[in-house]
Amino acid sequence: MKTIKTIPFVFLILLTMNLTAQESTLTKGNTSKPILLNCAFGAGTFAAGENMGGSVFLGSSLSADWIPDKKTGLSYGLESGLLRGEAQGSNIYGIPAIFRLGWHPHLVKNENIDLFALVKVGWGFGIWGSQLETDSNPNGIVGGFNFGSRYVLTPRLGLYAELGYTYYGLARSSNHPEYPLGYGSGKLYTSFGLSLKLGN
């Protein structure tokens, strides 16, 4: 449990160190590659087990995308956050650690609009609610493919949105006799929030 709780803190520390280094470069007058810091809220469906009904899947995320070369249109990033679904009247929480590979194809001429596609892969650290068995291990692989857009409000701030499919294989090693493959998998279909641009 202590390991699960430390994951998001480690992620945020590394992210802060990276962003601090970028800001230091800017203050020295050197040209830096842009980093997009995104904070979003998401909602979708949650399939709670093989023979059980689902619920709404809610979550908040913090991600950072680095664009080393605007000509290729590729971005590389990390994502974490807090996700929540419900099974058997009890909450299931997940803390993902995700790698993001993005492609920004420049399909529109309007420079204020950034359209992109994302491939995501990682691992979700799950936490059961108190009513479910305590000996299960609610962790699982994360993977997905999303389309997104960013609308620039100012040179630094923009609106951010994603739409697609993200699978969260929570509780894949459950010891429950009726559901050996686990209780839940979240499909996060849409998320929206704000994006902050650091660098040039």
Side-chain angles (χ1 to χ4, degrees):
M1 186 65 70
K2 291 182 179 180
T3 302
I4 292 176
K5 291 181 179 180
T6 58
I7 293 297
F9 295 108
V10 172
F11 173 82
L12 291 176
I13 290 172
L14 293 175
L15 180 60
T16 302
M17 292 172 60
N18 190 17
L19 296 180
T20 302
Q22 289 291 328
E23 288 293 340
S24 177
T25 301
L26 285 175
T27 57
K28 293 179 181 179
N30 296 328
T31 301
S32 63
K33 305 301 181 181
I35 289 180
L36 302 173
L37 182 62
N38 314 302
C39 182
F41 171 81
T45 63
F46 183 75
E50 289 85 345
N51 300 309
M52 300 171 60
S55 71
V56 175
F57 193 59
L58 302 175
S60 59
S61 65
L62 178 65
S63 61
D65 296 313
W66 176 52
I67 306 177
D69 188 349
K70 294 181 181 180
K71 293 182 179 180
T72 63
L74 294 178
S75 64
Y76 309 91
L78 297 174
E79 178 180 334
S80 187
L82 180 64
L83 310 164
R84 174 193 172 277
E86 182 177 328
Q88 294 184 324
S90 186
N91 294 328
I92 301 174
Y93 295 93
I95 301 174
I98 302 174
F99 171 76
R100 298 155 54 97
L101 175 62
W103 179 48
H104 307 249
H106 306 293
L107 295 177
V108 295
K109 295 181 179 180
N110 190 337
E111 295 183 355
N112 292 330
I113 300 177
D114 176 24
L115 301 178
F116 55 88
L118 285 172
V119 175
K120 299 182 179 183
V121 62
W123 190 259
F125 299 88
I127 305 172
W128 282 122
S130 59
Q131 298 179 14
L132 299 177
E133 75 263 19
T134 58
D135 57 348
S136 63
N137 183 20
N139 303 324
I141 193 170
V142 176
F145 185 81
N146 290 359
F147 295 98
S149 64
R150 183 178 292 102
Y151 182 78
V152 177
L153 298 174
T154 72
R156 295 297 181 190
L157 185 65
L159 298 177
Y160 179 86
E162 283 186 30
L163 176 66
Y165 176 91
T166 303
Y167 172 81
Y168 295 89
L170 300 178
R172 304 314 293 175
S173 58
S174 170
N175 294 322
H176 194 284
E178 296 183 27
Y179 310 107
L181 294 181
Y183 285 95
S185 57
K187 289 85 175 174
L188 189 60
Y189 285 110
T190 183
S191 61
F192 58 91
L194 296 175
S195 180
L196 179 64
K197 181 180 179 181
L198 303 176
N200 296 325

